Amino acid sequence: MDLASRILSDSTDPHDRSVAHQASAIVLRDSGRTGEAVAHGFAALRNARRVDATRQADVLGTLGIVLAFAGRTRDGLLRFDEAVPLTPPAMLPRLLHRRAHVLHMLARNAEALEDLDRAIAGSRRLGDDLWEGRSLNTRCDVHLALGHADAAEADARRAEVLLDRVGQEFEAVQAVHNRGLAANLRGDVPTALRLLDEASVRAHRLGNERHDLVIERTQVLLGAGLIDEVRRLCAVTLPGTVGAPVRRAELLLTDAQAALAQADLAAAEASAAEAQRLFRSQRRPGWADRARLLRLRAAYVSVRPELRPWMVDGEGAAPPPDPGRSATDLLAEATSLVGSMQARHAVELPVALVLLGRIAHDAGRDDTARQALGDAARTRWTGPPLGRAAGWLAGALLAQQLGDRRALLLACRHGLDAVDEHRNLLGDVELRALASGHGIEFTRLAVDAAVRARRPRRLLWWAERWRAAALDAPRASVTDPLLVSDLAALRDVTRRLDAMGADDPGSVALTRDRARLEAAIRRTHRHLRSGDGTPSKEPADRRSSDRTVRADGGPQLDLDAVFETVADEGAVVSIVRDGDTLHRLTVHRGVVRHVVVGPSARAATEADFARLALRRAALGRRVDLAAAGRLLQSALLGDGADLPEGCRRVIVVPPADLLTAPWGLLPCFSDRHLSVSPSIAQWLRATRRLGTGAGSHVALVTGPGLSTREAEVASLSRIHRHAKVLRPEDATATAALEAVDGASLAHIAAHGTFRGNAPLFSALHLADGPLTVHDLLGLHRSPGAIVLSACDSGGAAPIGPFEALGLVSSLLGMGTATVLASVVPVNDAACLGVMRDVHTAVARDGTTLSEGWLAARRGALGDDLALATAASFTAWGA
């Protein structure tokens, strides 16, 4: 820009002035200052007309794009029409590339491909690597829009080679970015995130991270379920797009998608409506349809709030329906939208068809509904996994409307298989948990069908099909030395930050460093692939048919194995949510019994009250624990809580948001061995792991700053005389990991922190800082059993109704058979006696932590503080 400004101030030559204005227009366009860019573009054209036709044609091409970016797309295309007859053959490929770029913006992709094919062939004949690379990058964009992942990746790889060859580093970065988008289109999220992160870092280093790259990055993050991150990016980027209406409209569309995913319906409608207005003013009807679809989806969810995305009943009731709208009001617009999308062969057409099917059904237009859902269901065998899942959802909804329960369950089974295919590529447990959200509606439909059919075994199978599945994948190994370095730096920064006062001037920089390190650690894990396979480029096996696959097929819950493992003296109690209602399924002696419990909101409320009662008791306040236990039991298990006679061992499998209820407080469990598990499948695996795979040593670790100092571990070391013991000053993260690695039994007494907004950064505080879940993932062998004697160490953040993440769930997923941890802060002094009773029983009888916990609860009878402390813990796993 400086050189262009000097030429414009010093030179009167029309050629030089046209070049300077043209360069200024390009720079200003890319920086979002489109009004100034347009002014320079027309100034360049005025000067070019005084030079020759070739100069004029080149400037017209630039002006066409500048006008399109300013939202004047019709004027922009007219400039290209004016330029074509003026362009010499050697310059025509460049002009065709520019026009294709604008046509792609307008979603006129078939025309764009024609221009790009000619541009690439022409550039190759001329040996023009730069413009061939640019055209390949743009053709990659078009292939992505059309859903052609392989063609897009091939173009991006070739573009990267050519642009690197001619030293166009930023455009080569864009090719890397495009490779990430192609990987995402194929369903390979870890590779997509790795490539996009690489492109973002390189672009930032070059000082030119453009809005279009940010927008496309947010789309991938949306698909990965990282909604909070998307909304933060949108909030940061949107103010800078005021002068760039094209990019502003696209970013508003992304913001609307993220808001809808969070059930922020007012924000979703507002952003979508503004995006739709901008797209229409820019003559971009295909994009306007996308915005219209989002606006309609938000409006429909306001009519049917039970369908709001990611709804977890325990987090509060759904908002009441909007009285100012009805499905009938939305039907005409939904029909019009589908017609427009069909005419343009829009990629989002299946989503629009499902929406039309639902709206039409609610409006009493069943013929229209079935036609729409049938059309959407035809996509269920082709495309990437999540695209096929959308087709199966349409099939499930169609079967529901037709009353065909068998076909509904079959569609749900196939839909969950498709989501499994997507999720099983992910090595990061947080991404896997978020990906489980794509299967929520299938499970809801199947559970509802099983409840209506009064088939307890089928209800149990479907309740388990999607429960805690994020923890099922083989653990991905992390060997990146940078990760080890980042984790050590995070411990140091957090330790220094914790030692500072809130007003210390150095805390701001350290807080910023902590956020940076946590982001880097998250990125490393997001790039991991699961150890169980590679992404498939082929659609699901077409040989499977609706008539040949059993409706209860798939990775079934082995009920025979459950009956055998439970035995005569045991029972599994599975709590299942169907809408706003909890159901209890009790498995005992080969029989599954079904009881309707009551409102799920009541259970969540009583769990909160019970945790509050335990916190008050830990502070020495007088609390009626017996009354709190009775109320909680009624809310969680139903009145009567009639557990089978002779049942001495109980495994409770609750919904994700009730995992951290204080189950030990329930009177029906006061004299029973109790363990809690995120899923029956995980309990079975944990039971099989008991006594296998772990070493024979016991590890006892004390963290710094405990009010009881080393008293707890000192007491336990007299019970486990040959234990490996770490004193507070020696208990660094590295030393603690070495001590507990492969232990048969580990015990960590330390302060703890649960991070509900970032559960994998929940931590135990050791001598050199926090030991997080990310650190624990570095263990070679997870301990067979572990006691986390730390406040809130048993916390878990629910992610949707089927997944919860925290220290406990991560240890179980890593292979630990049983974990004892607290769900609320505990009284340190009272904890000494509880832990002594637990370990005495384990060491004396060779029992599990669950049995040791029962011994501690029995030993606390008659002592309210000790009883509250014992009830504040929960045994998870076997």
Side-chain angles (χ1 to χ4, degrees):
M1 283 293 292
D2 290 341
L3 178 58
S5 297
R6 287 200 299 273
I7 291 172
L8 291 173
S9 63
D10 297 341
S11 175
T12 59
D13 180 71
H15 178 276
D16 292 349
R17 292 183 68 81
S18 73
V19 171
H21 278 298
Q22 183 181 14
S24 298
I26 293 170
V27 172
L28 290 165
R29 176 200 70 195
D30 290 345
S31 62
R33 295 159 62 183
T34 51
E36 297 171 73
V38 169
H40 277 282
F42 277 111
L45 182 60
R46 287 193 297 272
N47 282 278
R49 283 176 173 155
R50 296 168 57 196
V51 182
D52 57 33
T54 300
R55 176 97 281 271
Q56 186 177 340
D58 189 44
V59 170
L60 282 167
T62 297
L63 181 58
I65 293 181
V66 168
L67 288 167
F69 270 63
R72 297 166 59 180
T73 51
R74 185 176 181 181
D75 288 346
L77 287 175
L78 288 174
R79 300 300 167 181
F80 283 109
D81 292 342
E82 185 182 343
V84 169
L86 301 174
T87 305
M91 300 292 291
L92 187 59
R94 301 183 182 190
L95 184 72
L96 292 173
H97 165 261
R98 293 168 174 171
R99 184 167 69 179
H101 184 74
V102 174
L103 289 168
H104 170 54
M105 284 173 53
L106 298 175
R108 291 163 60 174
N109 290 310
E111 298 167 74
L113 272 182
E114 290 180 12
D115 275 357
L116 287 165
D117 289 344
R118 292 171 60 195
I120 290 166
S123 297
R124 192 168 296 160
R125 282 195 303 271
L126 294 166
D128 190 343
D129 288 350
L130 173 60
W131 282 89
E132 183 183 351
R134 287 173 172 171
S135 297
L136 284 164
N137 251 348
T138 302
R139 192 170 70 177
C140 172
D141 291 336
V142 176
H143 282 311
L144 289 168
L146 294 171
H148 304 155
D150 290 344
E153 182 179 9
D155 279 352
R157 286 186 178 276
R158 175 65 179 162
E160 185 181 0
V161 170
L162 292 172
L163 293 165
D164 274 333
R165 182 186 298 169
V166 297
Q168 287 292 326
E169 190 174 352
F170 177 74
E171 291 180 87
V173 168
Q174 189 169 0
V176 174
H177 177 92
N178 282 347
R179 284 174 54 204
L181 298 180
N184 184 64
L185 181 60
R186 187 177 291 116
D188 187 356
V189 175
T191 298
L193 292 173
R194 176 179 60 79
L195 290 168
L196 291 177
D197 283 341
E198 177 187 337
S200 179
V201 169
R202 288 173 61 179
H204 184 72
R205 196 177 296 142
L206 293 169
N208 191 12
E209 192 166 10
R210 293 187 342 214
H211 289 147
D212 56 335
L213 301 191
V214 173
I215 291 164
E216 289 163 348
R217 178 183 174 81
T218 58
Q219 291 296 310
V220 177
L221 294 173
L222 271 176
L226 299 167
I227 311 302
D228 289 338
E229 197 167 325
V230 172
R231 296 204 76 178
R232 283 195 298 271
L233 264 174
C234 289
V236 169
T237 310
L238 270 168
T241 63
V242 172
V246 168
R247 297 309 180 201
R248 182 172 183 79
E250 293 171 7
L251 195 60
L252 282 166
L253 189 69
T254 299
D255 188 54
Q257 288 176 276
L260 180 59
Q262 290 184 330
D264 187 352
L265 304 182
E269 280 203 72
S271 290
E274 176 64 8
Q276 183 181 350
R277 184 189 66 77
L278 287 171
F279 286 134
R280 281 177 171 168
S281 70
Q282 295 161 17
R283 306 293 195 273
R284 299 170 71 185
W287 286 86
D289 280 349
R290 294 181 186 178
R292 192 177 173 194
L293 173 60
L294 276 169
R295 184 174 57 76
L296 269 175
R297 287 176 62 193
Y300 182 59
V301 174
S302 72
V303 174
R304 292 279 304 278
E306 71 275 12
L307 296 176
R308 74 178 187 179
W310 300 91
M311 184 179 72
V312 180
D313 296 329
E315 295 180 353
D322 184 343
R325 286 181 172 141
S326 69
T328 304
D329 297 330
L330 302 175
L331 181 59
E333 188 170 4
T335 304
S336 169
L337 174 62
V338 165
S340 177
M341 285 189 156
Q342 285 173 329
R344 293 184 171 82
H345 306 287
V347 175
E348 298 86 355
L349 178 59
V351 178
L353 286 166
V354 170
L355 179 63
L356 174 59
R358 282 181 145 154
I359 291 173
H361 176 68
D362 290 352
R365 298 285 298 278
D366 284 345
D367 289 346
T368 300
R370 291 167 186 171
Q371 178 66 46
L373 292 172
D375 289 345
R378 293 190 184 97
T379 65
R380 66 192 185 276
W381 292 114
T382 59
L386 293 184
R388 299 200 305 275
W392 284 112
L393 177 58
L397 292 170
L398 179 60
Q400 184 187 47
Q401 291 186 16
L402 294 172
D404 188 341
R405 187 169 64 244
R406 178 180 175 80
L408 182 150
L409 295 177
L410 180 69
C412 290
R413 179 258 187 188
H414 277 301
L416 291 177
D417 287 348
V419 179
D420 264 334
E421 186 181 337
H422 163 75
R423 186 178 55 192
N424 286 344
L425 293 173
L426 307 174
D428 178 40
V429 69
E430 187 173 15
L431 284 185
R432 289 173 57 80
L434 291 168
S436 294
H438 296 293
I440 286 176
E441 192 153 12
F442 291 112
T443 308
R444 285 178 178 162
L445 288 168
V447 164
D448 178 70
V451 168
R452 291 173 183 273
R454 299 183 180 180
R455 301 283 297 275
R457 289 194 179 207
R458 178 166 289 177
L459 177 56
L460 182 67
W461 189 90
W462 278 107
E464 281 294 307
R465 172 65 179 88
W466 209 236
R467 195 172 246 169
L471 305 175
D472 290 346
R475 187 173 53 159
S477 60
V478 186
T479 57
D480 187 346
L482 287 177
L483 176 64
V484 177
S485 174
D486 284 342
L487 286 168
L490 178 63
R491 279 194 295 276
D492 179 61
V493 166
T494 304
R495 178 182 55 78
R496 290 158 57 198
L497 194 56
D498 289 343
M500 286 183 175
D503 299 329
D504 193 304
S507 65
V508 175
L510 286 177
T511 300
R512 189 163 51 243
D513 283 346
R514 182 173 63 181
R516 175 183 58 79
L517 288 164
E518 288 185 353
I521 291 164
R522 274 182 162 143
R523 277 198 301 272
T524 300
H525 280 271
R526 288 174 188 174
H527 299 168
L528 296 175
R529 295 166 63 91
S530 175
D532 62 346
T534 57
S536 171
K537 297 183 181 180
E538 301 298 329
D541 187 354
R542 291 171 180 267
R543 291 173 297 177
S544 298
S545 72
D546 290 2
R547 296 182 180 179
T548 59
V549 180
R550 291 171 51 195
D552 60 348
Q556 298 184 51
L557 172 67
D558 188 345
L559 280 177
D560 289 336
V562 176
F563 295 146
E564 181 181 348
T565 306
V566 169
D568 288 346
E569 294 184 350
V572 172
V573 177
S574 176
I575 313 297
V576 181
R577 179 184 285 112
D578 176 35
D580 297 328
T581 303
L582 291 183
H583 300 257
R584 170 163 55 90
L585 298 169
T586 305
V587 181
H588 179 64
R589 293 182 179 177
V591 178
V592 181
R593 292 182 174 86
H594 175 201
V595 173
V596 178
V597 174
S600 58
R602 180 189 171 213
T605 299
E606 292 299 341
D608 287 340
F609 281 138
R611 283 189 289 263
L612 177 61
L614 290 173
R615 288 189 181 95
R616 289 171 58 83
L619 296 173
R621 310 276 177 81
R622 290 185 60 83
V623 175
D624 189 345
L625 291 178
R630 288 193 299 272
L631 289 171
L632 182 61
Q633 178 171 294
S634 174
L636 292 175
L637 301 181
D639 294 329
D642 50 342
L643 292 178
E645 287 291 330
C647 174
R648 295 180 55 248
R649 302 174 185 274
V650 180
I651 301 90
V652 174
V653 184
D657 61 312
L658 294 176
L659 270 171
T660 59
W663 293 93
L665 199 58
L666 273 61
C668 67
F669 298 141
S670 62
D671 202 34
R672 289 184 166 101
H673 298 293
L674 171 67
S675 62
V676 178
S677 179
S679 72
I680 294 178
Q682 192 169 82
W683 165 72
L684 282 172
R685 287 194 297 274
T687 301
R688 290 163 184 157
R689 285 195 295 260
L690 276 176
T692 65
S696 58
H697 76 275
V698 174
L700 305 174
V701 179
T702 302
L706 295 178
S707 63
T708 54
R709 300 179 183 271
E710 299 177 56
E712 185 171 319
V713 162
S715 171
L716 301 182
S717 65
R718 290 192 286 273
I719 299 170
H720 306 286
R721 295 187 179 277
H722 301 292
K724 294 181 179 179
V725 178
L726 282 181
R727 302 181 65 185
E729 62 270 23
D730 301 322
T732 63
T734 300
L737 289 172
E738 288 177 356
V740 305
D741 202 319
S744 60
L745 173 63
H747 181 106
I748 301 178
H751 289 300
T753 303
F754 174 64
R755 295 268 301 274
N757 62 338
L760 299 189
F761 286 104
S762 298
L764 303 170
H765 295 277
L766 299 178
D768 58 343
L771 178 79
T772 67
V773 173
H774 293 290
D775 293 294
L776 292 170
L777 290 170
L779 289 170
H780 298 293
R781 286 188 303 165
S782 189
I786 188 168
V787 179
L788 302 178
S789 183
C791 294
D792 289 328
S793 56
I799 298 179
F802 303 106
E803 305 284 2
L805 297 181
L807 283 164
V808 170
S809 63
S810 298
L811 283 163
L812 293 173
M814 290 164 55
T816 295
T818 181
V819 182
L820 184 67
S822 66
V823 296
V824 292
V826 295
N827 183 283
D828 288 349
C831 194
L832 294 177
V834 170
M835 289 298 109
R836 184 183 61 249
D837 288 349
V838 169
H839 282 270
T840 297
V842 170
R844 181 187 61 227
D845 303 325
T847 60
T848 66
L849 289 178
S850 171
E851 292 164 315
W853 181 38
L854 174 60
R857 300 202 311 276
R858 285 171 172 166
L861 292 173
D863 183 336
D864 287 348
L865 180 57
L867 189 61
T869 304
S872 297
F873 283 84
T874 297
W876 275 273

